[in-house]
Amino acid sequence: MRRPTELVLFLFILALTAFAVVVVWPGDPTRYLPDFIPWPKGQGLKIGDFDRQAMRLGLDLKGGTYVLLEADVTALPPGTDIDQAMEGARQVIEQRVNAFGVAETEIQREGRYRLSVQLPGISPEQARELIGRTARLEFLEPQLDANGNYLCRAPDGSQFTVPSSAFFPSLDRQAGKVLCLGTGGQQGELLLQPAMCRRDCPANVQGIPLTGAELEPNSRVETNPQGTGVVVTLNFKSRGATILQDVTRRLVGRPLAIALDGQVIAAPNVRQELSGSAIIEGLTLDEAKTLAVQLNSGALPVPMRVVQETQVDATLGDTTVRHSIQAGIIGILAVMAFMVMVYRLPGVVAALALVTYAAVLLLIFKLWPVTLTLAGIAAFVLSVGMAVDANILVFERLREELRAGRSLASAVEAGFDRAWTSIRDSNISTLITCGILWWFGDQFNASLVKGFAVTLAIGVLVSMFSAITVTRTYLRMLVGTPLARNLWLFGAQQPRSTPGPERRPFVIPFVERRWLYFAISALVLVPGLISLMVPPALKPGIEFTSGTTFTVRFQQPPDPEAVRSLLSELGHPQARVQVADNGDYILRLGEMQGAINVPPVGPPPPSERDTIEEALRQRFGDFQVRNFDTVSEIVSRSIGRNSAIAVGVAAAAILLYISFAFRHLPRPYRYGIAAVVALMHDVLFVIGAFSIFGKVFGMEVNTMFITGMLTAAGFSVHDTIVVFDRIRENMGRYPGEPFADVVNTSLTETLVRSLNTSLTLIITVVAMLLLGGTAVQTLLLVMLLGTITGTYSSIFVASQVVVSWEEGDFARLFRRLVPRRPVPVEA
């Protein structure tokens, strides 16, 4: 008898899936799906002000510019509040970007002295113009005619005057203008001019405008002494006080406008002559705080230098999105087909659960919203392979229970209960890896790494919901149907009984050959270790060495040697030129000295990049910059240091967690150490392979390599935990059995699961590797190698290390290598 709650949950899952599919369905599905089918167009979700029409895409998919700025705080006067100045710079840049109309920008503090700026759809030239310079604060006085009337300008460019008695100005803060209304109904903006000393001026202030350079860096918010509300107090330096005195003497009863970067932010009326200080009133508390920060920042120019810049062409990003999504669809369909072929009816259930999983995960990405990067798409597709692993664990347990003679109802419950500990522990190890990945990316603002970590972590959490709730509900709905009585559909038909004594289950003698497996591992690792000893051990990308990379596409492809010769003439004799398979030219140069530094005030001058691009254009004709990346030595050093820390922290965290998870077994630390030994085996194999690839094919390692290494390490431990979990279970089931026999039984029982999980992951990785974007090919290649060696090490290394330790192999080997000295016996 089916419980009502099961039917309600089933209907909820169907409704959630349908809702998710409708919301995430693309507005132009023919970009990703076959165009001969009339697909409906997606509408997204809009409820009041909440509007999600499309996924939020990162710069690598949408195109745009990423800039990492570092402040030269040595240029600031002693005692300056650095945090306040940096916050002012951030707000000024944000104000400029918003005024430009750039959507979905991200401007964040990175550490104490850096700002990261992400500008989708913006070229580096526009980015430099937007970021520009430190804020310039100006004081402006109204223009008057000979009779003292205010001069105003109408929208059509004509001018009109307003008498002082009829002048009632208003400030349009959004437009940054002071508005005026003529006596004849004319509307326009008040004409302003720099405020400066104009009567009886000392020589040192002649022609000097009153700007933020004359302010002391101590503007602050205080309670209004004359009434309610707050005011912003300003204090001027000696020269500024002299100018202010003359300006305010002439403007009593008239407005004095304050402009930041050409936008008027306040226009208070002057009540009396001022000398060294002034106040601005009529602001809310938040407005006053913001203004004080902007004033202080504007008064204190903070020179900024660009320590990292990345540009992605919008066309390249669009192509990458299309190819990556198509690769993901192919990979997911291939995984579904594999599951159906191997597990039959449960495979169909897994395919339906995967639809729910993918739809709900994309729904979270869209509504949150999560900024999707190319690495994030790769993480999504990889998480599908990991989501299938939970189903494989359950289905293998389900087969065992059905073959033992249980009914489908009891087999489903027992299968999920017995698989839960493996699912829990393996997924927690992956989440630990994701946390370390996010920290690693956050240390130097690698948005690709952070996007990969966040996407994979959300995918792991949703996969647990999919496997434990969705798949179980679907299987429960099969109970009591005619399909439930056909064991062939579950791949669990019982073997025919034969007369004679009962045969023991077939067990592969893995443990007896453990030294052979150790020898094979040594032979596989030796070539890589030899390559690592030959300098350079690895061929580092610009993230680790500093430098600049251009990816350009010429209209008329030139001779690569001619391009290299021109770069040498321009001061880069070590430049390398590589022609990619798609015809793009990859130019690798050293760090550009003063490449795109931002001056304190005024527009940025032409950079070395501008010089190189102009020379290339004059020599070889027009071209398109498809990608640009530059990293300073400062950033490359921090990336290298944090990479080593991330790998070490990952190994330590996994060791501690496994020791905790298996704390009820004798000497649980052995399982943690064995897992770390297997992990180091996999890491050495992949690093050695890339050392060989670097020497033979010129393949470089970059942040995507580190990301792939940490992810592959997580998968290796994921697989090892499943094996250890079965060993833990069988030790309780067969308390009198020798430990080696328990390990053999456990490895035999989990062998099919390990191979099937690896195949599903390899299918998705290969699909992305063949069809996805080039930016994540390094990550995917590491994942492919890591999956293969991780499967091997979980079976032939980790478990064998535990057995050898348990049976004293290492102690005997140590005694052979380091024999004890005989102790003479005294007569």
Side-chain angles (χ1 to χ4, degrees):
M1 185 69 181
R2 188 172 289 115
R3 291 177 293 181
T5 53
E6 293 177 3
L7 182 59
V8 171
L9 184 57
F10 175 70
L11 294 175
F12 169 76
I13 291 172
L14 292 182
L16 176 63
T17 304
F19 173 74
V21 170
V22 169
V23 173
V24 304
W25 191 258
D28 185 11
T30 55
R31 295 182 66 226
Y32 318 112
L33 303 172
D35 56 6
F36 59 83
I37 300 176
W39 303 101
K41 293 185 177 181
Q43 302 299 321
L45 180 65
K46 186 173 183 179
I47 303 175
D49 294 334
F50 184 86
D51 189 4
R52 292 287 186 273
Q53 297 299 319
M55 293 285 187
R56 176 182 287 182
L57 302 180
L59 293 183
D60 57 335
L61 299 179
K62 192 173 183 177
T65 300
Y66 162 77
V67 179
L68 182 62
L69 300 167
E70 185 173 70
D72 181 10
V73 295
T74 60
L76 296 176
T80 299
D81 188 333
I82 295 175
D83 290 331
Q84 190 179 33
M86 291 296 295
E87 182 62 20
R90 187 194 68 78
Q91 292 185 9
V92 169
I93 293 174
E94 187 172 42
Q95 180 181 350
R96 290 176 179 168
V97 169
N98 291 340
F100 193 79
V102 182
E104 298 181 354
T105 59
E106 292 186 21
I107 304 171
Q108 299 176 334
R109 292 278 302 273
E110 296 294 337
R112 193 177 185 193
Y113 306 121
R114 291 180 181 175
L115 291 174
S116 69
V117 185
Q118 296 192 40
L119 303 170
I122 294 295
S123 69
E125 292 76 18
Q126 291 172 312
R128 281 178 239 155
E129 184 62 29
L130 280 175
I131 297 170
R133 57 204 178 277
T134 302
R136 180 173 178 83
L137 181 72
E138 299 174 285
F139 292 83
L140 306 172
E141 59 182 272
Q143 293 187 25
L144 307 174
D145 64 7
N147 298 321
N149 299 321
Y150 292 93
L151 291 177
C152 300
R153 182 170 53 213
D156 61 3
S158 61
Q159 294 187 3
F160 60 93
T161 61
V162 181
S164 299
S165 59
F167 183 68
F168 302 101
S170 63
L171 175 63
D172 184 346
R173 294 186 181 177
Q174 186 172 2
K177 301 175 181 178
V178 179
L179 305 182
C180 51
L181 181 65
T183 54
Q186 310 99 313
Q187 293 183 350
E189 63 173 297
L190 177 65
L191 293 179
L192 301 168
Q193 60 184 342
M196 60 178 65
C197 184
R198 301 181 187 276
R199 297 177 183 172
D200 302 326
C201 303
N204 68 324
V205 298
Q206 285 282 356
I208 303 296
L210 187 60
T211 68
E214 309 301 328
L215 274 177
E216 294 284 0
N218 57 1
S219 300
R220 59 189 180 274
V221 179
E222 295 181 345
T223 303
N224 190 345
Q226 304 298 326
T228 60
V230 294
V231 297
V232 178
T233 62
L234 311 176
N235 293 290
F236 290 83
K237 300 174 184 176
S238 175
R239 187 175 68 175
T242 302
I243 301 174
L244 177 67
Q245 187 173 9
D246 175 80
V247 170
T248 54
R249 183 188 305 123
R250 293 185 290 104
L251 296 182
V252 170
R254 298 184 185 273
L256 174 63
I258 301 173
L260 191 67
D261 284 340
Q263 300 290 307
V264 177
I265 59 174
N269 274 336
V270 178
R271 296 181 177 180
Q272 60 186 17
E273 179 183 332
L274 304 174
S275 56
S277 63
I279 64 171
I280 301 174
E281 58 185 1
L283 304 174
T284 66
L285 178 60
D286 289 339
E287 290 172 339
K289 287 181 178 178
T290 301
L291 179 58
V293 170
Q294 291 175 332
L295 290 177
N296 288 334
S297 179
L300 297 170
V302 182
M304 309 285 283
R305 72 178 296 251
V306 177
V307 294
Q308 185 175 358
E309 182 187 47
T310 300
Q311 176 201 358
V312 178
D313 178 63
T315 305
L316 178 63
D318 181 72
T319 304
T320 301
V321 172
R322 220 169 43 247
H323 289 173
S324 299
I325 292 178
Q326 290 169 350
I329 293 172
I330 292 172
I332 292 172
L333 291 177
V335 168
M336 289 180 175
F338 175 81
M339 292 294 290
V340 172
M341 287 189 296
V342 174
Y343 292 102
R344 303 172 191 175
L345 184 57
V348 175
V349 170
L352 295 175
L354 270 183
V355 173
T356 300
Y357 166 78
V360 171
L361 188 56
L362 292 175
L363 178 69
I364 294 173
F365 291 164
K366 191 168 189 175
L367 299 185
W368 188 304
V370 173
T371 301
L372 273 183
T373 62
L374 181 56
I377 293 178
F380 166 71
V381 177
L382 292 175
S383 71
V384 170
M386 294 184 174
V388 171
D389 176 57
N391 287 319
I392 290 175
L393 283 168
V394 171
F395 295 161
E396 289 295 330
R397 294 287 195 174
L398 179 64
R399 279 183 174 179
E400 293 175 7
E401 300 299 329
L402 290 173
R403 286 170 180 165
R406 287 178 179 264
S407 65
L408 179 61
S410 60
V412 167
E413 303 307 320
F416 275 91
D417 291 342
R418 294 179 62 192
W420 166 242
T421 54
S422 295
I423 295 172
R424 179 198 63 201
D425 291 341
S426 57
N427 280 305
I428 288 178
S429 70
T430 304
L431 290 174
I432 290 173
T433 304
C434 290
I436 296 170
L437 272 174
W438 192 92
W439 170 85
F440 171 65
D442 187 61
Q443 291 302 298
F444 53 92
N445 200 50
S447 57
L448 285 181
V449 178
K450 292 169 68 176
F452 181 88
V454 171
T455 306
L456 185 58
I458 296 174
V460 169
L461 293 174
V462 176
S463 73
M464 295 177 71
F465 163 77
S466 172
I468 301 302
T469 303
V470 178
T471 304
R472 175 182 282 189
T473 300
Y474 288 166
L475 287 174
R476 283 173 173 172
M477 297 306 295
L478 293 174
V479 174
T481 66
L483 297 174
R485 292 189 288 272
N486 189 342
L487 292 181
W488 181 87
L489 292 175
F490 294 86
Q493 59 270 32
Q494 295 182 358
R496 296 177 182 177
S497 59
T498 56
E502 182 179 354
R503 298 177 60 185
R504 297 188 61 183
F506 174 73
V507 175
I508 302 174
F510 289 99
V511 170
E512 285 73 6
R513 303 186 181 94
R514 58 184 178 274
W515 288 104
L516 173 63
Y517 308 143
F518 292 157
I520 293 174
S521 293
L523 290 175
V524 170
L525 294 178
V526 163
L529 293 174
I530 293 175
S531 179
L532 287 169
M533 289 187 289
V534 178
L538 293 167
K539 190 171 185 180
I542 64 169
E543 292 102 327
F544 296 100
T545 61
S546 76
T548 302
T549 297
F550 287 86
T551 301
V552 300
R553 177 169 293 182
F554 291 95
Q555 289 186 353
Q556 298 294 329
D559 178 21
E561 184 58 31
V563 177
R564 194 203 67 77
S565 177
L566 175 60
L567 294 175
S568 179
E569 294 174 13
L570 295 173
H572 293 275
Q574 304 300 322
R576 290 178 289 156
V577 180
Q578 177 184 354
V579 182
D581 295 337
N582 59 0
D584 289 347
Y585 283 65
I586 303 174
L587 316 181
R588 303 177 188 273
L589 298 78
E591 183 178 358
M592 294 183 180
Q593 299 299 321
I596 34 183
N597 288 352
V598 180
V601 179
S607 67
E608 186 178 357
R609 174 184 173 178
D610 298 326
T611 303
I612 291 175
E613 289 186 4
E614 183 61 27
L616 288 171
R617 191 167 283 108
Q618 290 181 359
R619 182 77 60 90
F620 305 113
D622 201 15
F623 60 87
Q624 177 188 21
V625 178
R626 295 173 64 80
N627 196 22
F628 175 83
D629 199 7
T630 182
V631 180
S632 73
E633 185 179 358
I634 300 170
V635 174
S636 66
R637 285 200 303 266
S638 64
I639 292 175
R641 181 182 66 251
N642 291 332
S643 299
I645 294 174
V647 174
V649 171
I654 289 168
L655 170 62
L656 292 174
Y657 178 72
I658 293 180
S659 299
F660 172 78
F662 291 85
R663 63 190 180 280
H664 299 301
L665 295 180
R667 294 177 290 275
Y669 60 88
R670 292 186 175 182
Y671 293 87
I673 294 175
V676 172
V677 169
L679 185 151
M680 291 296 106
H681 169 279
D682 302 338
V683 168
L684 283 176
F685 173 78
V686 175
I687 292 178
F690 266 78
S691 177
I692 296 173
F693 294 160
K695 292 178 173 63
V696 177
F697 305 112
M699 185 172 292
E700 297 180 346
V701 298
N702 49 28
T703 52
M704 286 291 100
F705 173 81
I706 303 298
T707 303
M709 283 297 309
L710 290 170
T711 309
F715 173 77
S716 172
V717 176
H718 180 106
D719 210 15
T720 300
I721 285 177
V722 172
V723 175
F724 285 174
D725 184 73
R726 184 59 70 98
I727 293 174
R728 174 173 55 186
E729 179 183 331
N730 285 337
M731 286 178 67
R733 185 184 298 178
Y734 312 115
E737 289 283 331
F739 183 71
D741 292 345
V742 172
V743 172
N744 278 333
T745 301
S746 302
L747 288 173
T748 303
E749 292 173 349
T750 57
L751 180 63
V752 173
R753 172 263 159 204
S754 296
L755 296 178
N756 287 346
T757 297
S758 299
L759 282 173
T760 58
L761 197 56
I762 287 172
I763 288 171
T764 56
V765 170
V766 169
M768 288 291 294
L769 193 59
L770 296 179
L771 302 175
T774 57
V776 290
Q777 283 187 350
T778 299
L779 181 149
L780 294 170
L781 183 57
V782 172
M783 282 297 303
L784 180 62
L785 296 175
T787 301
I788 295 171
T789 186
T791 304
Y792 174 87
S793 67
S794 65
I795 299 171
F796 301 108
V797 176
S799 302
Q800 312 306 327
V801 167
V802 176
V803 173
S804 294
W805 201 340
E806 187 73 23
E807 300 198 349
D809 292 353
F810 298 137
R812 287 192 294 271
L813 179 62
F814 180 79
R815 286 195 295 269
R816 289 182 181 179
L817 296 176
V818 187
R820 293 182 179 180
R821 294 182 180 180
V823 179
V825 179
E826 296 181 1

